[in-house]
Amino acid sequence: MQHLWGRSARCASSAPWRRGFWPGWPGGLGTALADAVYAAAAAFGFAAFKGVLEVIDRPLGLLGGAFLLWLGLRGLRAGAAPKAAGLAATGVWPTLAATFLLTLANPVTILSFAAIFAGLGLARDAGVSEALQLVSGVFAGSLLWWALLSGGVAAAHRQLPAAFSLWVARGSGAVMIGFGLWALALGLAG
């Protein structure tokens, strides 16, 4: 277990650390932490500006729904997956830090959370308690997704067809379109 924490140079290049569940877990934790930071920025931003947001709730919900539709359509049009970038980090802490910073470097993440929160009506119901629950849910959901993803890929990486990532992108796009349509319907209903 010592090699998982990056303390042993001899073990840092071993196959278990480079592939499978263990490198995915700290990477997922870094991503989940960054998602929680962006979710907190969006949620507490809504909570802080509740009075202003109540005035622009409908347009904000419609804009959020339209953004979700755009993200979904982009997913449906996904082509072959590009070659994944290599990550030189070895050990739990360097991997966690690298994925945290890589996720924070993607400004579309905060726009996505803002669109989802606006589309689902957080501007109407924004409060500190609700924002904390939402951020906790984003963190737990992101971490659970990565645990399932890492475990599933570790168990089935040789059995997955080459087009698997394309199917996942298109399926995710369809789900985002569904949420976008729902958000638009909520915005139009007022």
Side-chain angles (χ1 to χ4, degrees):
M1 176 117 322
Q2 184 179 11
H3 72 279
L4 296 177
W5 294 94
R7 294 184 185 137
S8 172
R10 175 182 58 81
C11 295
S13 63
S14 66
W17 176 246
R18 296 219 179 258
R19 292 181 181 81
F21 179 77
W22 291 111
W25 183 250
L29 182 57
T31 300
L33 288 170
D35 285 347
V37 166
Y38 273 143
F44 287 107
F46 280 135
F49 297 104
K50 184 178 181 178
V52 173
L53 290 171
E54 286 175 350
V55 176
I56 60 169
D57 181 45
R58 178 175 273 186
L60 196 60
L62 293 172
L63 188 64
F67 185 70
L68 290 173
L69 283 175
W70 177 77
L71 287 175
L73 290 172
R74 247 183 76 190
L76 286 179
R77 292 192 321 252
K83 183 174 168 78
L87 185 62
T90 58
V92 170
W93 298 114
T95 300
L96 189 147
T99 56
F100 177 77
L101 292 173
L102 282 171
T103 304
L104 282 182
N106 183 3
V108 174
T109 306
I110 195 165
L111 294 175
S112 299
F113 282 121
I116 291 168
F117 296 169
L120 299 178
L122 184 64
R124 279 188 307 271
D125 305 322
V128 174
S129 175
E130 291 83 4
L132 283 172
Q133 291 173 5
L134 198 65
V135 172
S136 298
V138 165
F139 175 75
S142 183
L143 193 58
L144 178 62
W145 166 247
W146 275 98
L148 292 172
L149 183 66
S150 295
V153 169
H157 73 281
R158 296 195 193 280
Q159 290 79 25
L160 294 175
F164 180 73
S165 64
L166 180 62
W167 299 344
V168 170
R170 289 184 176 160
S172 298
V175 169
M176 292 298 276
I177 287 172
F179 278 121
L181 292 173
W182 184 34
L184 285 173
L186 288 175
L188 290 173

